[in-house]
Amino acid sequence: MYRIKSKINTQSDSFQNNKKQFEGLLNEYRDKLKMVQDGSSAKAIEKHKSRGKLLARERINLLVDTNTPFLELSTLAAYGSYDNQFPSAGIITGIGVIQGKDCIIIANDATVKGGTYIKETIRKHIRAQEIAMENHLACIYMVDSGGVFLPEQAKVFPDRFDFGRFFYNQARMSAAGIPQISIVMGSCTAGGAYVPAMSDETIIVKEQGTIFIGGPPLVKAATGEEVSAEELGGADVHTSISGTADHFAEDDRHAISICRNIFESIEYHDKQNLETKEIEEPFYDPQELYGLAPVDLKKPIDVREIIARIVDGSRFQEFKERYAPTIVTGFAKIIGYPVGIIGNNGVLFSETALKGAHFVELCTARKIPIIFLQNITGFIVGKEYERKGIARDGAKFVHAVANANVPKFTVVFGGSFGAGNYAMAGRAYDPRLLLMWPNSKISVMGGEQASDVLIQVKMDQLKARGQEMAQEDIDQLKKSILEKYEYEGSAYYSTSRLWDDGIIDPVDTRKVLALGIAMTLNKKWEDTKNGIFRM
Ligand code: COA
């Protein structure tokens, strides 16, 4: 495989300026991460610890194998909402390794409003379960939760992908042979009681864990019976009388070691084989991505320069290099794993879409995962292109991406706008992971275009009535739309709402993608079958 020859002068003013600006964004990103990771009030942490409990991230660190990475998902969920009262949406989720097996870990953070669930907590829990289902990963629930955050009940209780979906997913996964293990380390009240009850095996911590359908106050109100939480549903009751839990633990550490022991007898069968090669570091330093990541989306960047700093040896076997240059396609290795890469180098034309669809077919036929590197303003518009069938050809690309049954991964390194988001495996196309860089933007179109469209619509309306739009009103409308798009298009707005699986430092892209590919090997990939391509 040939090495990409970088044309970037890392000493140039434009590179150095971009780097400086990007490092500013990176510092902002790290500050936000720190803010949510240290986000609980000192009082809540003190209360939690005084009960002999470990914090959620400490519990996870003890659960996973030492010196293995934990890929935390959507750390900034709920960021910027609810007055930042729900750091990480009160739940930590991610992919970790236990006794050599990739697993999904879902841990309530009881220091955040008693570990209760708002809309984003639910989405995060369900997203983690989806990843488990797609990749056949055992689930460990570290339960410490007061259930639904009651003031928000209408947003979390009744719908298809609300609270009830947790237990449906547990039943379906258990039936599919995906182990479901609960460690009850605190409260599991009302609906929450079903997390341990629906698990294959459940551990409960003495004088700490409780499981009940109705807590003591509710029992008193309903029946007049006075009972303590421990008597109603503590570890002793559930391991010796009700049988709702299986293992009695003295404390958090003991519970975690029981869980690790359970994994000694868990095996994953039916794995996917993927031939790996020797690992080579990129020839071009990944730190140089800071000078290249498009801070100003108007400035074009050759995606090959990005690829050169992500793939092994900066080597890239380009496909159709001379044809349809606004999309770059080719094969490479990431930490030894073979991958197909599709990267944007401009607007999508008919021939670009055809090249993309052809390349997706190559990857699915050869069973090679596809990495989509998104920096896309959308499909080309105009009379000439509509007549040539841009919608018809674009549909072929979208069709191929939708049906591709090899693992897809999407990294938004610049803009993600319009139908380009769909063709390039946006969230709706089920990439196994979707990751954003801190500079990236996502919206139906750019703010400039949206304001131009809306001003044009308004002007046409007024013209039909024989009126005109005053310049002052045009300026005002433009300003308000630009501000709205700037706010709603930011990576933080996206990640807060779980439109992605997290924002990452560009330097970590290669590592995160390799972890993602490794996780997909726990289940055989299905064959790809396409439907009707509109010719
Ligand atoms: N909805 C909304 N807020 C809740 C809540 C719920 N279900 N459960 C707890 N909270 C809030 C508390 O108001 C408190 O908020 P604050 O920090 O702003 O004061 C915070 O979470 C911590 O609660 P607190 O009771 O002080 O903590 P604790 O560790 O002593 O107890 C629980 C935690 C979860 C065991 C206890 O709060 C409880 O039993 N909650 C009710 C659980 C329930 O009945 N849920 C039914 C939902 S379906």
Side-chain angles (χ1 to χ4, degrees), residues 352-367:
T352 332
L354 296 178
K355 176 173 163 181
H358 185 162
F359 187 72
V360 169
E361 286 195 291
L362 285 184
C363 293
T364 53
R366 295 176 191 176
K367 294 245 164 152

Side-chain angles (χ1 to χ4, degrees), residues 22 25-26 29-30 286-294 306 309-310 411-413 436-440 503-513:
F22 191 85
L25 293 181
L26 205 55
Y29 162 65
R30 288 178 183 146
Q287 295 270 346
E288 289 172 359
L289 290 169
Y290 300 158
L292 298 169
I306 307 285
R309 287 152 182 93
I310 293 179
V411 179
V412 186
F413 75 94
M436 312 272 291
W437 285 5
N439 58 304
S440 60
I503 300 177
I504 57 166
D505 180 337
V507 166
D508 294 333
T509 304
R510 155 181 171 79
K511 194 172 69 191
V512 173
L513 288 173

